[in-house]
Amino acid sequence: MIPRLMQSVTLPAAQVQASRRQFLIGALAAGTGIAVGFHLLRASPASASETTSAEGANSFSPYLIIDGDGTVTVLSSQFEMGQGSYNGIATLVAEELDADWSAIDVKGAAGNIKAYGNLAFGGAIQATGGSTSMASSWERYRKAGAAARAMLVAAAASEWGVDAAEITVENGVLAHPSGKSGGFGAFAAKAAAMPVPGDVKLKQPGDWKLIGNADLKRFDSARKANGTEQYTIDVKLPGMLTAVMIHPPLFGARVKSFDPSAARGIKGVVDVVETPRGIAVIGEHMWAAIKGREAVKVEWDDAAAEKRGTQEVMSTYRDLAKKTPAAAARKDGDADAAFAQAAKVIEASFEFPYLAHAALEPLNAVARMNEDGTLEVWGGHQFPDVYQKLAGEIAGIAPEKVRLNVMKSGGSFGRRAVFDGDVVVEAVHAAKAIGFRAPVKVQWTREDDMRAGRYRPAYVHTLKAGIDADGKLLAWNDHIVGQSIMAKTAFEGMVKNGVDPTSVEGASNLPYAVPNQMVGLTTTDVGVPVLWWRSVGSTHTAFAAETFLDEVAEAAGRDPVEFRLSLLEPQSRHATVLKLAAEKAEWQKPLPEGRFRGVALAESFGSVVAQIAEVSTDGSGQIKVERVVAAVDCGLAINPDQVRAQVEGGIGFGLGAILAEEITLTDGKVDQGNFDVYTPLRIDAMPKVEVQIVASANPPSGIGEPGVPPIGPAVANAVYKALGKRIRVMPFSKSLNA
């Protein structure tokens, strides 16, 4: 997903100075209920009435709504793509509100950066990514719940004629020692007229019932299990048409001409139109659109297209990796002098392919122009204010006239966080091309998703380490070659002195104490579109660093766990999780014949994860990952069960990638099209996973992504013990089957 480094980004719209950010609690009537929210201000106003200002009449939005029937609907600033952000935010609200967990629901909110801007990114953009959802929501959603609770109590006290301090709240019911009681719904309307508390007192950890509750199950588990959860692919509107796209077969190619006549003659095909991103074939239903697409004849202008294949690209990378880096991301001490003095020098190179996000739900979006001149867009809006602006520009209307329906998404892993709005733009363009006479859903097929997508960049690392006669690590050098994700985007300003932080994160901030360290970067110019992918830079930097560190430990004659601990501060988070993982995996205990262990440690998105993988081999050269013990420090675990699920999911996601996944190109065209050749982890290859959560009182840090980086190197290190083979070219299938 989006890197945690985004928290320092400065964007032109809605910039907010964090040091002056304050919450203003506000409330408004919502039918028979109450809506409570916060306004993100440059300075605190004198009263709630000032929330409507010159900055815009829509500068105040609620974070939660309590209806007359007692239902509590949380309006989430964060997008739900399976990572559990809705559940976490619901927990924060319900805890402080003392709500009935069974009466909680969550919906996506958008259209107001001031209210919904991600605080981890300075409040400048509403975005979900970088594993920041809980960090951004931790304080403001608890305050929303606490404020609503105080107003409900005030309403009940007024109606009953009692002291508010005598009223208790539990599971959505207010009660008084006199025997009077009532649910939230009974007081919601009156609570909306109560004075808004100027400050609210949040619960102390000892009073929490939901936060940190390991037995609390997700509020949406049932509908996910029974298939009633709704995604964009499920959207059906009266008169809705379906469009499929014809994208250029080469990245950078453009439509030169096309003949739609045969397609228009197919039953069910409504129109064939050109858009800036290709040709949209619009039909009464998906099948008609697909058959129409097959009949369209297109001539492409590929003069500016990328025509190199994988072998050519990687050959160039290997040559560049042997040269002096174009930029320095880290330089400590004098590495060259240290290498000259080293008793032993170890060197290795690593190669990582392009990777697809391969989310279960292919990209899609729906656009409809309403009679009142507002445009509605349904989709997995990971960057909602960006898409709102783009949709408005295409439709020729003001952004505030674009209403976004934030749908849950069947996965994203960063794929829906794009600055050109790809599928959203396609839907609006297609609807506009037919005069907005009907709603249009653009639905990508799996092949579209695989071949016209964005990818985790390919990389090459060359590493070098020097140790002295006693096995002490003296010097470390890592030269990274690959494309920039940030370049030519709104985040281009984060590229400093030729260094894209997403290319080097996890390498430039290694936690190990190495006195002489150099991390260099050479950024390449390739026409393949790239994007953040779950755990971003750490997906390759952690693998290179942690497998190479095992090689260094072997050269020094040291145990891999003991060697790492010798390079860490004894009381650090890194040392703590590493020791915990080693203890729970019984690192020092001999394994049965045919079983082997490997270890890896990585920090990403503010969290530290250590993993010990246990693999087996049948002697034929094939391996199976049997067990993974993971220890994680992610700050305070709001939902421990969800933390475990995310680490388990991250391990499965990362394991599939390193075992067999890769995107390759032949003459510029993507070779893979579906899961028959691009193979995410199959269920029978999923290992047993045990997750240990370090108790912490620190604010929550990321958890959606940090489980991914350590699994590859942990398994690779175990494979070396099993087969005596170092895995240096991804995926494993290339090395193991060679």
Side-chain angles (χ1 to χ4, degrees), residues 558-595:
R558 308 274 290 276
D559 173 83
V561 170
E562 180 273 326
F563 187 60
R564 285 172 171 80
L565 288 173
S566 73
L567 299 170
L568 296 169
E569 289 292 333
Q571 304 305 316
S572 67
R573 298 169 73 203
H574 301 82
T576 298
V577 297
L578 181 57
K579 287 185 283 190
L580 179 59
E583 174 193 343
K584 296 299 182 182
E586 299 180 302
W587 177 260
Q588 298 297 338
K589 183 178 179 180
L591 283 166
E593 185 176 355
R595 295 284 185 110

Side-chain angles (χ1 to χ4, degrees), residues 449-636:
D449 213 55
M450 199 75 71
R451 292 178 176 147
R454 320 292 173 89
Y455 309 98
R456 196 285 303 273
Y459 289 96
V460 167
H461 285 243
T462 56
L463 288 106
K464 183 178 178 181
I467 56 177
D468 65 15
D470 296 323
K472 181 180 178 181
L473 183 55
L474 299 177
W476 180 277
N477 194 329
D478 185 357
H479 181 190
I480 303 168
V481 178
Q483 284 172 260
S484 167
I485 294 173
M486 296 290 199
K488 300 176 184 178
T489 74
F491 293 142
E492 189 165 29
M494 291 187 65
V495 179
K496 305 291 187 183
N497 300 317
V499 177
D500 181 338
T502 70
S503 297
V504 299
E505 61 183 353
S508 61
N509 60 328
L510 278 180
Y512 303 113
V514 185
N516 305 286
Q517 189 172 164
M518 173 70 179
V519 178
L521 175 67
T522 298
T523 298
T524 58
D525 186 8
V526 182
V528 178
V530 295
L531 189 66
W532 22 67
W533 185 94
R534 192 175 185 181
S535 290
V536 201
S538 292
T539 61
H540 56 97
T541 58
F543 187 97
E546 287 295 302
T547 52
F548 188 58
L549 195 63
D550 253 40
E551 293 191 45
V552 177
E554 182 182 50
R558 308 274 290 276
D559 173 83
V561 170
E562 180 273 326
F563 187 60
R564 285 172 171 80
L565 288 173
S566 73
L567 299 170
L568 296 169
E569 289 292 333
Q571 304 305 316
S572 67
R573 298 169 73 203
H574 301 82
T576 298
V577 297
L578 181 57
K579 287 185 283 190
L580 179 59
E583 174 193 343
K584 296 299 182 182
E586 299 180 302
W587 177 260
Q588 298 297 338
K589 183 178 179 180
L591 283 166
E593 185 176 355
R595 295 284 185 110
F596 306 88
R597 295 190 188 98
V599 63
L601 172 70
E603 177 184 356
S604 58
F605 308 95
S607 296
V608 183
V609 180
Q611 292 177 12
I612 292 178
E614 186 176 313
V615 306
S616 65
T617 178
D618 59 6
S620 67
Q622 298 302 305
I623 59 102
K624 178 176 173 55
V625 184
E626 302 283 357
R627 178 190 182 211
V628 178
V629 175
V632 54
D633 181 345
C634 60
L636 190 145

Side-chain angles (χ1 to χ4, degrees), residues 55-346:
E55 293 182 316
N58 192 33
S59 62
F60 179 87
S61 292
Y63 281 11
L64 68 96
I65 297 172
I66 302 174
D67 288 328
D69 63 359
T71 299
V72 178
T73 301
V74 179
L75 301 179
S76 175
S77 65
Q78 299 298 288
F79 165 53
E80 174 63 72
M81 54 192 117
Q83 81 279 34
S85 61
Y86 279 12
N87 192 72
I89 290 173
T91 303
L92 301 179
V93 170
E95 179 68 79
E96 297 293 343
L97 185 58
D98 283 311
D100 178 358
W101 186 244
S102 66
I104 292 283
D105 197 9
V106 184
K107 293 183 179 179
N112 191 324
I113 301 175
K114 293 250 189 317
Y116 300 127
N118 189 317
L119 301 183
F121 305 157
I125 182 173
Q126 184 180 356
T128 304
S131 293
T132 59
S133 289
M134 292 305 100
S136 177
S137 307
W138 173 242
E139 181 177 312
R140 59 181 174 182
Y141 276 95
R142 285 191 297 150
K143 284 190 173 182
R149 183 187 188 279
M151 295 165 73
L152 287 166
V153 168
S158 174
E159 184 165 320
W160 293 339
V162 300
D163 187 343
E166 298 173 350
I167 295 175
T168 59
V169 186
E170 187 173 4
N171 292 328
V173 176
L174 298 100
H176 187 263
S178 65
K180 295 178 180 179
S181 66
F184 283 177
F187 302 100
K190 190 169 185 176
M194 289 290 113
V196 179
D199 192 16
V200 289
K201 183 179 180 182
L202 299 177
K203 289 183 180 180
Q204 294 299 306
D207 297 324
W208 289 341
K209 298 177 182 178
L210 302 179
I211 295 175
N213 185 338
D215 298 322
L216 185 69
K217 302 303 180 184
R218 286 180 62 148
F219 76 95
D220 55 357
S221 294
R223 56 182 186 248
K224 283 182 177 290
N226 62 28
T228 58
E229 189 71 278
Q230 295 294 294
Y231 302 87
T232 309
I233 202 169
D234 301 311
V235 172
K236 296 179 181 179
L237 303 175
M240 186 181 77
L241 303 175
T242 298
V244 296
M245 296 297 299
I246 304 176
H247 294 116
L250 294 174
F251 299 116
R254 297 287 184 268
V255 176
K256 187 174 183 180
S257 65
F258 69 102
D259 180 1
S261 56
R264 285 176 172 153
I266 294 175
K267 183 179 179 181
V269 173
V270 174
D271 209 342
V272 181
V273 299
E274 184 177 353
T275 80
R277 290 177 48 82
I279 297 166
V281 182
I282 306 172
E284 294 175 356
H285 45 76
M286 185 77 174
W287 180 247
I290 288 176
K291 297 305 291 183
R293 177 166 70 173
E294 294 171 355
V296 178
K297 298 177 181 179
V298 187
E299 184 178 0
W300 301 97
D301 177 0
D302 62 6
E306 177 61 72
K307 299 185 181 71
R308 286 175 290 179
T310 299
Q311 292 302 321
E312 296 162 281
V313 171
M314 296 307 288
S315 178
T316 299
Y317 281 22
R318 293 183 201 110
D319 290 341
L320 289 171
K322 297 173 185 176
K323 299 177 181 179
T324 302
R330 179 173 182 175
K331 190 172 183 180
D332 297 345
D334 189 337
D336 290 338
F339 281 122
Q341 299 170 6
K344 188 179 294 186
V345 174
I346 307 96

